[in-house]
Amino acid sequence: MFSDKLIAQIKKKRSLVCVGLDPRCEGKEAIPNFILENCKHNPNDAIWQFNKTLIDATHEIAVIYKPQIAFYEQYDALDALKKTIDYIHSKQGLVLLDAKRNDIGTTCDAYAHAAFNLLKADALTINSYFGIDGVAPFTKYVAKGKGVFLLLKTSNKSSGEFQDRFVMENPVPENKQLEIAVTDTKLIRNYLLMTRLMRMWAENPKNLDNADVYGQEGYSSIGGVVGATYPEQMKAIRKEIPKHFILIPGYGAQGGTAKDILHGINADGLGAIVNASRSINYAFLLSPYKDRFTPDQFGEAAKIAAEDMRAEINTEIEKR
Amino acid sequence: MFSDKLIAQIKKKRSLVCVGLDPRCEGKEAIPNFILENCKHNPNDAIWQFNKTLIDATHEIAVIYKPQIAFYEQYDALDALKKTIDYIHSKQGLVLLDAKRNDIGTTCDAYAHAAFNLLKADALTINSYFGIDGVAPFTKYVAKGKGVFLLLKTSNKSSGEFQDRFVMENPVPENKQLEIAVTDTKLIRNYLLMTRLMRMWAENPKNLDNADVYGQEGYSSIGGVVGATYPEQMKAIRKEIPKHFILIPGYGAQGGTAKDILHGINADGLGAIVNASRSINYAFLLSPYKDRFTPDQFGEAAKIAAEDMRAEINTEIEKR
């Protein structure tokens, strides 16, 4: 069961840190020049060498790695992604492929096959705008030990445009007109509706190919994505889904702090993993590490940044 | 401008037919055995040979081709996808890459770069759950002649679970509580809210990198996706976005008919393109064509199926 494997990592490493692997070959925050030149600017080689060093440096802290597939697609570097995933597995690590896939039927089956069987990801992010038709083809892999994370409340500034809208708690049958006037009803925000749908879908064994709904540790292998940048919304979502993991992006570079994510973590210290990508991948270029490390020490800088992040989070948990 | 290029195709070919290219190497509806064997079951070769024949057979009817990227990812066959797109361009055709991408910031930039620059798609489907942060990185390519289609009301059975929920027309500020009781307000369905957001985003030149909002023919290069299986919802959406193209999936194999899609087509005969994938790709296996064609005639079967689809749609348009 994916949730049990994730919890084993958390306990062993005393960490909630998820390390994003978002390789960039140009721009201000990018793979060090000496690697790009060694690899004759071949992105597949450069990305693989960059990731390998990051994994060697952080695998005792990272409970899971989160490569974002867009960066690999952008450089036509899916081979580097495959090697990266295999290497993480060789270190007994887990991989959450961030791809936010969404579709229906055989198309979903194809995406799931590509992510779980070809690339061998342990878990996948998806977007559930389609409803259960776009969810079950992924969640049925829970029976094969895989995990799935659904977008609930995203970390970006404009996430409220759609996700924060107030929506009726209960469905209205299709044969009713397309616009109605209500006089007395309870409304919730769209992200909370998505959260409730997620729980409903995740509690139906049929959608999991009859796998256990909750693992040995009492946690589902189906989780949600909630940005560190929205602590109040995190609190509301945590209350709705106490036994589902929350992947928290937006820590570090996007502005989320250890205090902001506390609402996502249960009293047992479980229920959340916290992702940082840029602030670890490119720590050697960023404060407070840039003065202590040269570009060829990017791995060591990443290690210290990951250790600091683990300590910040653990300190806040102990304080509460 | 993408919309003008699309309209030129529609006028030249007197067609609204979008041909999906969804290659399958196994199952009931799959690439004919003789191709798989010729290609020694190498998916890249088999898919390319299959697609080339389909394109040769249908390029005078198809106003745009819609490869669904999941099928290429599933077989590790992105090379076949690239060759397919290049070949469509060599026939002066257009390509709408169906990938339903969604994310924010530099990740979105990476997806857009992969789709528009590396794969050279003319248009892309996206999922706009993130709000404008997840839309603008794609729509800014309108200035480079590209098109973008946002998911509004999807063709699948469970699309209503989330998309049909009744939501407040207007936003409520963040500092208000997370759950409210309303006594008098107007509610619309979530897919209609997404439609209105889409129009608002598409009308702001800033989101298009200052390209014209409407092309020479008066149509936007930003469109929506609405399933053929929901004619009443199509009518409501058409009314909201008269000058935006609607990509209509769900025709044929999923049950949508020429009558069902009429609400999506404007009086000028424009404003919609209608996709069929399985019923054209695998026409040689399906009624009413399977008795007339052998597997090695799959191209001819696809051509007749596409011609019949064009005629069915044009007949319904003329009748109304």
Side-chain angles (χ1 to χ4, degrees), chain A residues 76 82 100 103 166 168, chain B residues 76 82 100 103 166 168:
Chain A
D76 212 349
K82 279 179 216 160
K100 301 184 178 72
D103 213 292
F166 276 101
M168 282 176 68
Chain B
D76 212 350
K82 279 178 217 163
K100 302 184 176 74
D103 213 292
F166 276 103
M168 282 176 68

Side-chain angles (χ1 to χ4, degrees), chain B residues 211-317:
Chain B
D212 282 348
V213 170
Y214 300 104
Q216 288 182 336
E217 297 271 2
Y219 278 90
S220 170
S221 289
I222 299 171
V225 180
V226 185
T229 42
Y230 294 105
E232 284 309 309
Q233 291 82 340
M234 177 88 72
K235 194 173 173 181
I237 291 171
R238 178 77 288 170
K239 214 174 127 191
E240 293 282 338
I241 48 165
K243 288 303 185 182
H244 297 258
F245 265 86
I246 296 176
L247 164 66
I248 309 180
Y251 193 92
Q254 282 184 58
T257 68
K259 270 198 179 67
D260 292 331
I261 59 155
L262 278 182
H263 290 313
I265 301 163
N266 285 328
D268 59 8
L270 300 172
I273 47 175
V274 188
N275 182 72
S277 304
R278 273 184 284 167
S279 57
I280 293 177
N281 294 189
Y282 307 106
F284 70 104
L285 292 167
L286 302 168
S287 294
Y289 309 106
K290 63 179 177 185
D291 299 331
R292 291 165 54 192
F293 298 97
T294 55
D296 62 316
Q297 295 172 311
F298 72 95
E300 291 153 68
K303 183 181 182 175
I304 302 297
E307 282 176 350
D308 287 354
M309 180 177 162
R310 172 172 66 179
E312 279 161 31
I313 294 170
N314 289 348
T315 303
E316 284 299 327
I317 293 174

Side-chain angles (χ1 to χ4, degrees), chain B:
Chain B
M1 191 89 176
F2 171 77
S3 59
D4 293 326
K5 289 188 266 184
L6 182 60
I7 290 168
Q9 293 273 341
I10 291 171
K11 289 184 173 171
K12 184 178 158 202
K13 298 174 182 171
R14 292 183 306 108
S15 171
L16 298 179
V17 174
C18 168
V19 172
L21 293 171
D22 294 1
R24 289 178 180 82
C25 296
E26 66 280 309
K28 223 171 61 183
E29 291 163 9
I31 294 176
N33 253 325
F34 79 92
I35 292 185
L36 291 169
E37 279 159 19
N38 276 353
C39 298
K40 295 175 184 160
H41 292 269
N42 174 331
N44 256 308
D45 292 350
I47 289 171
W48 159 238
Q49 197 175 319
F50 182 65
N51 283 357
K52 182 179 178 299
T53 303
L54 288 176
I55 295 161
D56 284 336
T58 59
H59 71 94
E60 288 175 354
I61 306 139
V63 296
I64 196 163
Y65 286 92
K66 185 178 80 61
Q68 164 47 258
I69 199 168
F71 293 102
Y72 302 84
E73 287 183 5
Q74 153 167 254
Y75 299 117
D76 212 350
L78 289 179
D79 285 340
L81 177 58
K82 279 178 217 163
K83 279 171 94 166
T84 298
I85 292 173
D86 287 344
Y87 193 65
I88 293 166
H89 286 155
S90 80
K91 299 272 182 191
Q92 280 76 51
L94 294 173
V95 178
L96 165 53
L97 184 66
D98 194 0
K100 302 184 176 74
R101 294 297 187 246
N102 63 115
D103 213 292
I104 53 168
T106 52
T107 310
C108 256
D109 290 337
Y111 277 134
H113 178 77
F116 291 134
N117 296 334
L118 272 190
L119 291 170
K120 298 184 194 142
D122 301 292
L124 180 71
T125 56
I126 69 166
N127 180 322
S128 44
Y129 187 74
F130 280 90
I132 188 63
D133 297 334
V135 171
F138 297 110
T139 55
K140 72 181 184 190
Y141 278 85
V142 167
K144 293 175 179 163
K146 306 292 187 177
V148 180
F149 289 83
L150 280 63
L151 296 183
L152 301 176
K153 171 69 181 168
T154 59
S155 61
N156 57 305
K157 207 172 154 190
S158 77
S159 69
E161 270 186 297
F162 186 76
Q163 298 163 28
D164 284 1
R165 289 303 183 91
F166 276 103
V167 63
M168 282 176 68
E169 271 198 296
N170 299 310
V172 174
E174 277 214 25
N175 54 5
K176 289 274 175 69
Q177 64 210 64
L178 295 172
E179 299 195 5
I180 59 169
V182 289
T183 50
D184 188 22
T185 187
K186 202 172 159 207
L187 301 178
I188 59 173
R189 299 225 190 235
N190 250 338
Y191 66 79
L192 218 57
L193 169 63
M194 194 61 100
T195 306
R196 289 183 187 179
L197 287 172
M198 176 198 135
R199 194 183 57 196
M200 186 184 76
W201 295 328
E203 282 176 350
N204 184 348
K206 213 183 65 182
N207 297 330
L208 319 179
D209 206 10
N210 296 309
D212 282 348
V213 170
Y214 300 104
Q216 288 182 336
E217 297 271 2
Y219 278 90
S220 170
S221 289
I222 299 171
V225 180
V226 185
T229 42
Y230 294 105
E232 284 309 309
Q233 291 82 340
M234 177 88 72
K235 194 173 173 181
I237 291 171
R238 178 77 288 170
K239 214 174 127 191
E240 293 282 338
I241 48 165
K243 288 303 185 182
H244 297 258
F245 265 86
I246 296 176
L247 164 66
I248 309 180
Y251 193 92
Q254 282 184 58
T257 68
K259 270 198 179 67
D260 292 331
I261 59 155
L262 278 182
H263 290 313
I265 301 163
N266 285 328
D268 59 8
L270 300 172
I273 47 175
V274 188
N275 182 72
S277 304
R278 273 184 284 167
S279 57
I280 293 177
N281 294 189
Y282 307 106
F284 70 104
L285 292 167
L286 302 168
S287 294
Y289 309 106
K290 63 179 177 185
D291 299 331
R292 291 165 54 192
F293 298 97
T294 55
D296 62 316
Q297 295 172 311
F298 72 95
E300 291 153 68
K303 183 181 182 175
I304 302 297
E307 282 176 350
D308 287 354
M309 180 177 162
R310 172 172 66 179
E312 279 161 31
I313 294 170
N314 289 348
T315 303
E316 284 299 327
I317 293 174
E318 280 157 26
K319 275 204 298 200
R320 74 174 172 185

